[in-house]
Amino acid sequence: IGGGMDMAIESLGPSRPLHLSYDIDALDPAHAPSTGTIVRGGLNFREAHYVAEAVAETGALISMDMVEVNNELGREDPTAGQRTTEMALVLIASALGSKIF
């Protein structure tokens, strides 16, 4: 993940404004189960935050959207919607400069 993010950010250049469109279904369903397209073996907690933190560290983020959060899905697990929403919120915070330790 780190190398891919470094290459992507480097290719954009240091002064280019960035928009981050974060598709939460890229995460493993253990972390974001209420989404339309579940990706088993998707990003883990740390990888998901790394993507957002790497963008934040550029200082060039001007806009962001978080997509594919759907609390109507995953109803067989009563906590699925809340867990997915909470993950989306902490990823947005990471993109805005918050760090996990």
Side-chain angles (χ1 to χ4, degrees):
I1 297 296
M5 287 302 298
D6 290 344
M7 286 187 335
I9 291 169
E10 184 178 312
S11 73
L12 296 171
S15 62
R16 186 173 186 164
L18 299 178
H19 169 81
L20 175 61
S21 184
Y22 208 121
D23 194 334
I24 202 154
D25 63 15
L27 277 67
D28 188 90
H31 306 292
S34 290
T35 186
T37 306
I38 292 176
V39 179
R40 301 214 186 281
L43 299 175
N44 65 33
F45 182 85
R46 184 66 200 112
E47 292 167 336
H49 279 276
Y50 185 86
V51 169
E53 290 172 356
V55 171
E57 287 175 2
T58 68
L61 183 67
I62 61 165
S63 61
M64 176 181 182
D65 59 14
M66 177 66 69
V67 298
E68 298 296 331
V69 176
N70 187 342
N71 291 343
E72 295 299 312
L73 300 175
R75 288 184 172 209
E76 61 279 354
D77 175 355
T79 67
Q82 180 178 349
R83 289 187 297 129
T84 303
T85 299
E86 288 174 358
M87 177 58 79
L89 291 172
V90 296
L91 289 172
I92 292 167
S94 287
L96 295 174
S98 181
K99 300 261 187 193
I100 62 169
F101 298 96

